[in-house]
Amino acid sequence: MRLKTKRNRQQYHMLIMGITLLLGTSFTTVHAEDMTEPIQDIVLDPVVVTANRIPTKRSDTAANVTVITAAQIEVNHYASLAEVLRQVNGIVVTEASMTRQDLVRIDGDDRVLVMLDGRRMNMDKGASSNRASIDLKTIASMQNIERIEIVKGAGSTLYGSDAVGGVINIITKKGKNVKSESTLDMSIGSWKTQNYDLTNQGSQGDWNWFVTAGLQNQDYMKYKNWKNDTTTRMGNSDYAKKNGTVRLDKKINDASSLTFNYEHMTDDSGQWNEAAGYSKYGMSANYLHDRMDKLVNNAAITYHYKENTDAPSYLRYYQNYTTQGFNDIDGGAGYSRYSNKMTGFDWQDNWLLGQNHLVAGTEWHQTKINNGALSGGDYLDKKITNKAVYLEDRVHLTDRLTFVPGVRYDDHSMFGGQTTPKAALNYKIDPKTNMYASWGRIFNAPNADDLFWHDPYGYMLGNPDLQPETGYKTTLGINRQFDEKTAVSLSAFESKIHNAIGWVEIDPANYIYKALNADEQKKHGIEFTINHKWNDNWSVDAGYSYIKTETRSSDNYNWDQNNSDPNGYNFGVHYHDAKWDNAVNVSGGSGRSLQYFTASNYWIWNANANYKITDAMTAYIKVDNLTNKAYEMTGNKDVGAYPMAGRFMEVGVKYTF
């Protein structure tokens, strides 16, 4: 085989280097006295806070919970939240082609609440023409994440609107009790990619801090073109991101403290449109946008009290600001922008009363939204306010049986009062096995785009007469920890949503869509995961999920053929020793509709290797989509499905000083 260009030779050499590094463990002898605790050790029963808003062991929680640790993020060198979540069983993350947004689905549902240290990050504006209300790209940094807790199931009782499919809570790092410690992470990769991340943490007196700064640049993206089986460079696909975060903690006394958080992010990207596809809709060049940028500025201050008890509580004030701008492809129609500014106040307290653990709180948030005509929304100065109170009780009926009732009342400025009750049971069959069942009502208000969108070209029409989505979701599950090395989880869910909101093509001849309430939407699925640690060096994990969504209109149920993973698969093999930390991960989907997707199934291989040069320095290599698979996660192949990235390679070094 002849390598035709210098670039091809460089990529070939990078590939050889990567394979050598990935296989390096096969030629390394490790003595027993050199063994250290693995960076990705399996935690079979972690303590989580999101499911019940209080610290609770996973085995005592009546919910389907997954925890991603900082060590897992570090060893896999995840560059974005989307990369992390794509490895979680039952979760799908899609990337929208025209807006370069990462949108998440849990249990086939994009009504998902994302929080940062328990602070709501979703936008009342909405993030897409589906039900998603957050772009994962607006999460500023991966370097300050301590862990990510994912709770699947109806969360409306504790968390309100958007918590229909589940809740993702990103918990940030607190600075270490050291004078000062800095870490620099630098990498280069395919498509002229460059990444730089700097963190500094430490303490002085009663203060702790954790600060991050990051820069990411990518000149273009390549993908495998399913039409002609060639690797194709995507036009106008460059991406640049800058970010910074600050967390300050002030210890007041043994029982109380203050925390200040600030997150800043800007990005700029080109927008890919397949001209042949979008010309089908009669869109002129003035409609298609050439450039897009985002700006995020968030701040919060939290007062923690009762920290020296089993009932920690807090007061919080926060502001989240997100804006996104569009620049038309020929510059002729000018520049336009939307903005979403949320101001919020949260209070939560809890009490231990005999066999009861009561959690109560109140929330208030107000969002001011502008969506200019050239952005497509054509509405200004909209204001949405929501006030809520909630109460949940953990009742220990016996040493093995826990009953968790709860209720929430929301007072929405546009839709009035809504009550969402909940009931859950958790039964400890034995110290290593628990079964749970949960049922919760659902409430999800239409977002501002659903209500007010009215683009100047007449293709997308909001509907001020929409009704809120209501319904229920039921989850059943069992967790079994066989020993210190093996854990298995099995769960099943069903949900029904009345007045489900969707964008429906009301005029096919002119391609006009309008937001409408459907009669009913129902989903059901199952999920199975297993984690096993063979020995001090090797571990494996595997997962399978099945998800089906149907929407009823005019007494007929229609299957959601745009479901990218009716059957989802995840599999990983990990190796650890004193010097090496390596992993191979496989994810895939099957049962996909050929009306929407280019193939009925896909399989993506990712691999990475970390080599500890010294205690302070680690070198690494990462390869995504190792086989250069052609696939997509959303879109219609006949109109121009947005392709996912082809093979990507990255090498870097991380140094702590």
Side-chain angles (χ1 to χ4, degrees):
M1 180 181 68
R2 183 180 178 183
L3 300 179
K4 297 181 179 180
T5 67
K6 180 179 180 181
R7 184 178 300 278
N8 286 339
R9 289 194 296 272
Q10 289 174 339
Q11 292 179 341
Y12 176 77
H13 292 152
M14 285 181 67
L15 181 60
I16 294 299
M17 290 172 60
I19 294 173
T20 302
L21 185 55
L22 289 170
L23 298 178
T25 55
S26 302
F27 306 98
T28 303
T29 302
V30 181
H31 300 284
E33 60 270 21
D34 295 329
M35 298 300 293
T36 60
E37 188 70 16
I39 195 171
Q40 262 194 317
D41 200 10
I42 298 174
V43 180
L44 300 178
D45 195 14
V47 174
V48 297
V49 298
T50 309
N52 301 111
R53 282 189 176 266
I54 53 175
T56 310
K57 280 190 174 182
R58 182 189 176 201
S59 60
D60 294 326
T61 302
N64 182 353
V65 182
T66 301
V67 178
I68 306 297
T69 66
Q72 290 171 297
I73 294 172
E74 178 182 354
V75 77
N76 289 285
H77 302 284
Y78 294 126
S80 67
L81 189 57
E83 282 192 49
V84 180
L85 296 177
R86 285 192 179 110
Q87 305 305 313
V88 178
N89 205 22
I91 290 185
V92 172
V93 180
T94 63
E95 185 174 14
S97 62
M98 292 186 68
T99 56
R100 292 296 291 268
Q101 296 173 315
D102 290 331
L103 308 174
V104 61
R105 285 188 172 191
I106 294 181
D107 290 344
D109 204 314
D110 46 11
R111 307 167 183 89
V112 175
L113 176 63
V114 177
M115 301 188 298
L116 200 62
D117 291 324
R119 171 175 29 121
R120 180 186 183 87
M121 305 305 293
N122 292 50
M123 299 191 301
D124 284 330
K125 172 197 168 293
S128 74
S129 58
N130 295 315
R131 307 307 310 129
S133 56
I134 184 169
D135 171 14
L136 298 181
K137 280 189 170 72
T138 60
I139 301 300
S141 176
M142 297 297 296
Q143 304 301 315
N144 67 337
I145 297 177
E146 178 66 29
R147 68 185 186 276
I148 302 171
E149 296 182 0
I150 302 157
V151 181
K152 300 172 184 174
S156 293
T157 300
L158 284 179
Y159 296 105
S161 191
D162 295 324
V164 177
V167 177
I168 299 170
N169 189 13
I170 303 163
I171 299 169
T172 62
K173 294 178 179 178
K174 179 180 178 180
K176 294 180 180 178
N177 289 320
V178 296
K179 185 176 181 180
S180 181
E181 179 181 282
S182 299
T183 299
L184 178 62
D185 191 335
M186 302 182 295
S187 65
I188 58 173
S190 304
W191 317 325
K192 298 183 180 180
T193 298
Q194 301 178 54
N195 293 309
Y196 305 93
D197 286 293
L198 177 66
T199 68
N200 179 262
Q201 62 179 316
S203 64
Q204 184 172 354
D206 294 328
W207 291 89
N208 292 74
W209 67 85
F210 196 100
V211 181
T212 74
L215 174 65
Q216 177 184 352
N217 282 299
Q218 182 177 295
D219 278 4
Y220 55 91
M221 187 187 91
K222 286 188 176 182
Y223 65 98
K224 189 68 171 293
N225 193 321
W226 67 277
K227 295 179 180 179
N228 53 26
D229 199 35
T230 61
T231 299
T232 303
R233 178 168 171 167
M234 179 181 287
N236 201 34
S237 61
D238 60 298
Y239 181 77
K241 179 177 181 178
K242 299 177 182 178
N243 65 81
T245 68
V246 176
R247 173 172 171 168
L248 295 175
D249 291 273
K250 164 67 174 175
K251 189 73 173 176
I252 299 174
N253 52 46
D254 289 341
S256 60
S257 65
L258 283 172
T259 300
F260 171 76
N261 298 89
Y262 174 70
E263 301 96 32
H264 169 78
M265 188 279 292
T266 63
D267 75 6
D268 178 83
S269 61
Q271 293 181 271
W272 177 81
N273 298 289
E274 186 166 308
Y278 287 100
S279 64
K280 173 182 177 180
Y281 292 97
M283 296 181 182
S284 67
N286 286 338
Y287 181 85
L288 300 179
H289 299 296
D290 179 56
R291 307 297 305 172
M292 188 196 67
D293 67 85
K294 303 187 190 84
L295 168 68
V296 173
N297 280 311
N298 303 326
I301 185 165
T302 306
Y303 171 64
H304 307 272
Y305 60 102
K306 298 168 62 174
E307 290 187 300
N308 57 346
T309 72
D310 292 328
S313 305
Y314 64 86
L315 289 163
R316 175 185 296 122
Y317 172 80
Y318 66 94
Q319 284 195 345
N320 297 338
Y321 178 77
T322 302
T323 182
Q324 180 171 299
F326 302 87
N327 191 11
D328 285 334
I329 198 165
D330 62 356
Y335 193 81
S336 57
R337 176 172 298 279
Y338 78 71
S339 64
N340 186 100
K341 182 179 180 180
M342 175 183 287
T343 301
F345 176 83
D346 299 339
W347 165 78
Q348 178 180 300
D349 208 328
N350 57 102
W351 305 268
L352 297 173
L353 303 173
Q355 298 300 311
N356 298 267
H357 194 153
L358 288 169
V359 178
T362 182
E363 298 175 352
W364 176 91
H365 70 254
Q366 184 177 85
T367 303
K368 298 178 181 179
I369 306 165
N370 287 312
N371 200 357
L374 293 175
S375 300
D378 197 15
Y379 63 89
L380 300 172
D381 299 322
K382 297 298 181 181
K383 185 184 295 185
I384 296 175
T385 304
N386 193 76
K387 296 172 283 188
V389 293
Y390 58 86
L391 175 67
E392 183 173 282
D393 188 14
R394 287 180 53 81
V395 186
H396 297 280
L397 300 177
T398 69
D399 291 341
R400 295 187 178 186
L401 182 62
T402 304
F403 175 51
V404 186
V407 65
R408 179 186 177 103
Y409 179 79
D410 286 272
D411 182 12
H412 195 280
S413 60
M414 298 190 65
F415 299 102
Q418 297 284 338
T419 301
T420 50
K422 163 191 174 179
L425 283 170
N426 187 69
Y427 181 67
K428 297 289 287 285
I429 299 174
D430 57 48
K432 296 183 178 181
T433 311
N434 75 296
M435 296 179 62
Y436 61 87
S438 68
W439 174 92
R441 293 289 296 175
I442 288 169
F443 163 64
N444 189 37
N447 60 51
D449 281 353
D450 295 330
L451 296 166
F452 308 120
W453 188 289
H454 191 89
D455 74 68
Y457 303 97
Y459 294 113
M460 303 289 284
L461 304 176
N463 183 0
D465 296 323
L466 288 173
Q467 297 299 309
E469 299 173 311
T470 59
Y472 72 87
K473 186 172 183 178
T474 303
T475 305
L476 305 173
I478 183 170
N479 300 310
R480 170 68 176 171
Q481 182 177 327
F482 289 94
D483 49 37
E484 295 181 354
K485 295 183 177 181
T486 306
V488 174
S489 298
L490 176 65
S491 67
F493 76 91
E494 179 187 60
S495 69
K496 286 189 178 180
I497 299 177
H498 304 287
N499 292 323
I501 297 171
W503 286 81
V504 179
E505 191 172 29
I506 61 172
D507 184 353
N510 295 298
Y511 313 107
I512 297 174
Y513 286 77
K514 185 175 183 178
L516 296 173
N517 289 110
D519 293 338
E520 186 178 79
Q521 185 179 85
K522 62 180 183 179
K523 302 175 187 286
H524 65 272
I526 59 173
E527 181 179 311
F528 173 78
T529 60
I530 181 171
N531 292 276
H532 177 68
K533 183 178 177 181
W534 278 316
N535 52 43
D536 289 336
N537 299 109
W538 292 94
S539 64
V540 63
D541 55 77
Y544 167 77
S545 63
Y546 167 78
I547 297 169
K548 185 174 182 179
T549 300
E550 297 173 295
T551 302
R552 185 180 69 185
S553 296
S554 303
D555 296 325
N556 292 317
Y557 279 104
N558 297 311
W559 178 44
D560 179 12
Q561 297 187 71
N562 206 19
N563 181 1
S564 62
D565 284 19
N567 299 282
Y569 311 88
N570 289 283
F571 180 75
V573 177
H574 315 274
Y575 178 89
H576 320 272
D577 64 31
K579 291 289 187 181
W580 293 91
D581 207 309
N582 304 347
V584 175
N585 296 290
V586 185
S587 59
S590 66
R592 293 148 54 103
S593 169
L594 291 178
Q595 177 183 345
Y596 284 86
F597 300 99
T598 57
S600 62
N601 64 82
Y602 72 94
W603 298 95
I604 305 302
W605 291 71
N606 301 322
N608 61 77
N610 303 265
Y611 180 73
K612 188 176 181 181
I613 301 172
T614 68
D615 289 341
M617 181 179 292
T618 300
Y620 60 88
I621 184 170
K622 169 184 175 182
V623 186
D624 293 337
N625 196 356
L626 186 63
T627 61
N628 201 27
K629 177 71 174 179
Y631 75 113
E632 62 289 313
M633 299 302 292
T634 187
N636 188 317
K637 67 180 183 182
D638 296 326
V639 182
Y642 184 70
M644 299 298 288
R647 184 188 299 116
F648 174 83
M649 298 183 62
E650 181 181 31
V651 293
V653 62
K654 188 172 185 177
Y655 179 65
T656 300
F657 55 96

